[in-house]
Amino acid sequence: MALRTMKLLKERKIAELVAPPKGSSVLEASGVLAKGGDFYVIFDNIRRVARIGAGLAPGSPRHGWFGRRRRGDGYEDIAYNPHLKRFYLLVEAEKHVDGTYKAIIDQCDETGRFTGTHWIDFPFEKRNTGFEGLAAVRWKGVDYLLALCEGNKCRAGRKGRIGGGGRIHVLVRKAKMWTSVAQIKLPASVDFEDYSAVSLKGDRIAVISQMTSRLWIGRLRFETWTIAGRGRLYDFPRTKRGKPRYCCLEGLCWLSATTFVLVSDLPKSWCPSRCGKTGQSIHIFALPR
């Protein structure tokens, strides 16, 4: 059955809004957060946050860099806790002292000042296939982070590309580590080859896939950390032959009940040339009516 298609409202190349970091000509956007009339964007190739005015107008004084640059390759996603007034910045996975690969959460305050870093106590098989998405939520007075695995069943390689095994870890801070206390299993009907971002709005949860170029929306039961029903799938725009035009979507955030802001990474070497037109960009999409 054909899926309904998301409607593009606006998009810009990120380089039209903020200058690439010194020594680089690319902006590999990998996550986005909407807060207070601005979009906070993070990148695979620089461990720093950009703040972009929601109007996406080139030359706006609202555009610029937020906080100082930190050492490292970059971040995979960004989340914000309004109760603690704290940003969380996700590092996909790095080599831990126990020999495994584990993700890291950096923290900063509302001025961009770095306030701490903590490991996530969950091992991955490879450094480049770890946690890819992040969302913050408070439930019954407890603060949680929801960490989305890139691969199906949190696996790497071919096994991680077998669809229907989407997993989100429910994390709680315990001492100096983030610990997984539950796993949210996405419906098997969410047959994505990979998972690149997660966003919450109340009990509504949204997940996107970079490789499948689709959006899924469902409802989350916080009491049991389970999904109610199968939810609904949407396509991002495709060519007349049904090929994806948006091949690198990596960041997602709700703007309203029907609209989202997304960002796209630099197209991979295996991506068709058409993907370059939408890569390294920020997009506003609406659900189809």
Side-chain angles (χ1 to χ4, degrees):
M1 184 176 69
L3 300 178
R4 300 178 71 193
T5 300
M6 298 291 290
K7 181 180 179 182
L8 178 68
L9 301 181
K10 184 187 294 187
E11 67 185 358
R12 289 277 188 189
K13 289 289 186 180
I14 296 175
E16 296 177 17
L17 309 174
V18 293
K22 187 176 180 180
S24 176
S25 61
V26 297
L27 288 165
E28 300 178 25
S30 52
V32 62
L33 171 79
K35 176 184 175 294
D38 292 310
F39 299 142
Y40 293 79
V41 180
I42 49 88
F43 306 90
D44 281 339
N45 62 318
I46 178 174
R47 201 164 287 192
R48 199 175 184 186
V49 182
R51 182 166 54 198
I52 295 173
L56 305 185
S60 169
R62 297 187 72 90
H63 306 331
W65 293 99
F66 175 72
R68 295 184 178 181
R69 181 174 182 172
R70 292 180 53 74
R71 292 182 180 180
D73 292 337
Y75 293 117
E76 286 299 329
D77 209 355
I78 181 171
Y80 178 74
N81 185 318
H83 306 284
L84 302 177
K85 296 183 178 180
R86 183 178 298 163
F87 289 93
Y88 298 100
L89 304 157
L90 173 66
V91 178
E92 182 174 12
E94 290 192 355
K95 196 67 173 286
H96 191 265
V97 292
D98 66 7
T100 65
Y101 292 99
K102 293 181 178 179
I104 295 171
I105 301 289
D106 281 352
Q107 296 175 186
C108 70
D109 63 20
E110 291 191 308
T111 69
R113 182 178 65 90
F114 176 76
T115 59
T117 186
H118 303 88
W119 291 94
I120 299 176
D121 193 16
F122 182 82
F124 286 100
E125 298 166 304
K126 295 183 178 181
R127 183 171 181 251
N128 64 347
T129 311
F131 288 123
E132 193 78 3
L134 196 69
V137 64
R138 175 172 285 190
W139 172 248
K140 291 188 175 180
V142 180
D143 293 301
Y144 298 94
L145 290 178
L146 305 186
L148 173 72
C149 288
E150 178 179 356
N152 282 279
K153 297 183 179 180
C154 300
R155 301 295 303 273
R158 292 182 179 179
K159 291 182 178 179
R161 294 193 294 272
I162 299 173
R167 297 291 186 269
I168 300 171
H169 282 259
V170 182
L171 308 177
V172 172
R173 259 285 300 280
K174 294 185 178 181
K176 296 182 179 181
M177 298 279 285
W178 286 94
T179 301
S180 179
V181 295
Q183 276 194 51
I184 300 167
K185 295 182 179 180
L186 301 186
S189 56
V190 186
D191 192 21
F192 290 171
E193 195 169 343
D194 72 341
Y195 305 83
S196 57
V198 59
S199 184
L200 282 175
K201 186 174 180 60
D203 68 345
R204 299 180 77 195
I205 183 169
V207 173
I208 58 171
S209 169
Q210 178 179 198
M211 298 182 73
T212 312
S213 193
R214 283 178 178 161
L215 166 75
W216 168 82
I217 297 176
R219 292 202 178 268
L220 176 61
R221 299 188 187 102
F222 292 99
E223 299 90 343
T224 56
W225 299 112
T226 57
I227 301 298
R230 299 176 62 181
R232 190 161 188 173
L233 291 164
Y234 299 89
D235 267 333
F236 286 102
R238 282 163 156 69
T239 67
K240 292 181 179 179
R241 295 186 177 182
K243 303 296 184 181
R245 290 176 51 211
Y246 291 81
C247 318
C248 312
L249 293 167
E250 284 212 17
L252 168 76
C253 186
W254 292 86
L255 294 179
S256 72
T258 58
T259 57
F260 301 85
V261 58
L262 298 98
V263 292
S264 288
D265 197 354
L266 175 73
K268 308 295 188 294
S269 59
W270 46 262
C271 289
S273 59
R274 65 177 180 274
C275 300
K277 295 179 181 179
T278 57
Q280 299 185 85
S281 299
I282 185 165
H283 326 270
I284 309 296
F285 277 99
L287 292 173
R289 293 183 178 181

